[in-house]
Amino acid sequence: MRAEDFGTTREGEKVTRHTLARDGIRVQVIDFGAVVTAIEVPDREGRFANVVLALDTVEGYETVSPHFGAIAGRFANRIAAGRFTLDGWTYQLPINEPPNTMHGGPRGFARRLWQVASADETRLALRRLSPDGEEGFPGDLEVEVVYSLPEAGTLRIDYRATTDRPTVVNLTNHSYFNLAGEGAGDVLDHVVQIESDAYTPTDATQIPIGSIAPVAGTPLDFREPARVGARIREDHPQIVIAKGYDHTFVLRGPDGDRRPAVSCHCPASGRRLEIATTQPALQLYTGNNLDGTLVGPSGRTYRSGDGICFETQGFPDAPNHPDFPSAVLRPGASFTASTTYRFSLA
């Protein structure tokens, strides 16, 4: 484990970057936002490159980062009008993506310092206490996220949370992948396959309307491998609303079981990513809001489509949809989830 200074927050908190390494992979994580700032893996020529979008400074992650590599929480994705009712109590959250709350609020978990619980060459455990009332959520929530490299070419993320009051929880890692390398341009030629037969259609504000719809016959059908850019500009209402892909796919298999979720292949580099998870859903997002104002470590600007997110998570707006898998966490119970990212060559 190598730990090095990564700067200081506006509140004077020291931020440290931690490096994990194993055969075929090197991962860097900062304790601010539990952000993955780099995943370095080889291409078919054996050349290592970072395959996630990133920023160079703490200030960037504090102020302008669109959740690059961060842990999104206390509730990842959207909550309609920032409001939900639990056990007869209604909670109002701050609105940070009008008219909704996105990724837990303006700061959420992505813009706060985490504490290092343990660290070695292949494992980093980060913890934080999200106090009762933070961003409007009830209960003291103890959260732990563990990054580990269990085998060559594989990153694993494990999540655990407990609470002292009934609350809602949805956690994910929000890395933007580009398997050609950070700053290499768009990902429209990446080939993706998703282990899903259905998705959650949304309204014009990207809140689920409550139904589960088949992907068959839509641009969201990735049951067979398909280029990301093949249907991204089709005149389909869901694609138009999101300005690309920003949709929740219902994964096959029992909730809580680790099963394949998605595979992604970059023909240009030969890199392949396979993701497996215990989570019930996957948010596919093609960086539609990147507009060229952010500059990565490569010195190149990020534009729409320059990264692709595979956010393993619970259903968006689940607290307001009783038919969705529950996001409620109660005292005495634990929220647990696990996702693995296996890199190889194809």
Side-chain angles (χ1 to χ4, degrees):
M1 163 67 67
R2 188 176 82 230
E4 56 191 337
D5 179 58
F6 192 74
T8 304
T9 69
R10 289 176 295 179
E11 297 176 358
E13 302 163 312
K14 180 182 177 181
V15 177
T16 301
R17 180 168 59 192
H18 305 267
T19 300
L20 310 177
R22 193 162 195 147
D23 291 345
I25 188 169
R26 188 176 80 150
V27 175
Q28 294 186 318
V29 181
I30 59 173
D31 47 19
F32 183 81
V35 169
V36 174
T37 59
I39 302 175
E40 297 178 359
V41 292
D43 65 7
R44 64 166 61 92
E45 305 298 330
R47 295 171 298 201
F48 278 75
N50 179 18
V51 295
V52 293
L53 306 191
L55 298 171
D56 278 330
T57 66
V58 173
E59 181 183 11
Y61 287 108
E62 275 192 287
T63 59
V64 296
S65 174
H67 287 82
F68 283 158
I71 296 300
R74 175 176 311 194
F75 195 93
N77 216 311
R78 297 170 176 88
I79 293 181
R83 187 181 303 116
F84 67 93
T85 299
L86 178 59
D87 295 344
W89 293 88
T90 298
Y91 298 93
Q92 180 63 57
L93 316 175
I95 304 301
N96 62 321
E97 189 189 67
N100 307 312
T101 297
M102 181 68 160
H103 292 325
R107 291 187 67 186
F109 288 178
R111 290 180 167 89
R112 299 183 191 273
L113 192 69
W114 294 59
Q115 289 73 49
V116 176
S118 62
D120 60 34
E121 291 182 353
T122 61
R123 185 180 184 275
L124 173 67
L126 296 171
R127 292 177 183 166
R128 75 172 304 263
L129 169 65
S130 175
D132 179 44
E134 183 177 83
E135 303 283 26
F137 290 96
D140 287 344
L141 188 76
E142 294 273 4
V143 185
E144 180 179 71
V145 175
V146 179
Y147 294 101
S148 64
L149 308 180
E151 58 187 12
T154 300
L155 168 64
R156 173 170 169 156
I157 307 178
D158 291 286
Y159 308 84
R160 186 176 185 274
T162 58
T163 183
D164 64 352
R165 287 180 58 193
T167 192
V168 295
V169 178
N170 185 21
L171 302 177
T172 193
N173 177 271
H174 206 298
S175 289
Y176 291 62
F177 292 95
N178 186 325
L179 298 184
E182 178 272 321
D186 68 59
V187 297
L188 299 184
D189 283 335
H190 283 34
V191 177
V192 169
Q193 182 174 10
I194 302 176
E195 302 298 324
S196 171
D197 302 306
Y199 74 104
T200 59
T202 73
D203 65 16
T205 71
Q206 295 187 263
I207 290 294
I209 60 177
S211 62
I212 304 296
V215 298
T218 78
L220 288 87
D221 190 351
F222 285 93
R223 292 175 296 173
E224 298 295 329
R227 285 180 57 250
V228 172
R231 299 173 299 227
I232 199 169
R233 301 195 188 282
E234 287 195 10
D235 184 22
H236 185 280
Q238 290 294 305
I239 296 294
V240 172
I241 287 170
K243 301 177 182 177
Y245 292 107
D246 190 5
H247 298 87
T248 303
F249 291 79
V250 180
L251 296 175
R252 302 183 188 120
D255 293 350
D257 288 355
R258 186 184 300 276
R259 71 272 198 203
V262 62
S263 64
C264 180
H265 172 231
C266 173
S269 69
R271 295 185 182 97
R272 180 180 179 86
L273 169 61
E274 296 170 286
I275 300 176
T277 189
T278 63
Q279 299 263 45
L282 172 85
Q283 187 80 10
L284 177 69
Y285 175 54
T286 45
N288 312 323
N289 294 323
L290 299 176
D291 60 5
T293 59
L294 300 180
V295 180
S298 60
R300 297 176 180 174
T301 60
Y302 295 147
R303 300 185 182 275
S304 178
D306 281 359
I308 186 166
C309 302
F310 304 111
E311 304 161 56
T312 57
Q313 58 183 257
F315 284 34
D317 200 33
N320 294 312
H321 295 277
D323 292 337
F324 284 0
S326 177
V328 175
L329 179 65
R330 298 187 180 278
S334 296
F335 169 89
T336 58
S338 181
T339 299
T340 56
Y341 306 78
R342 187 169 75 88
F343 296 89
S344 59
L345 296 172

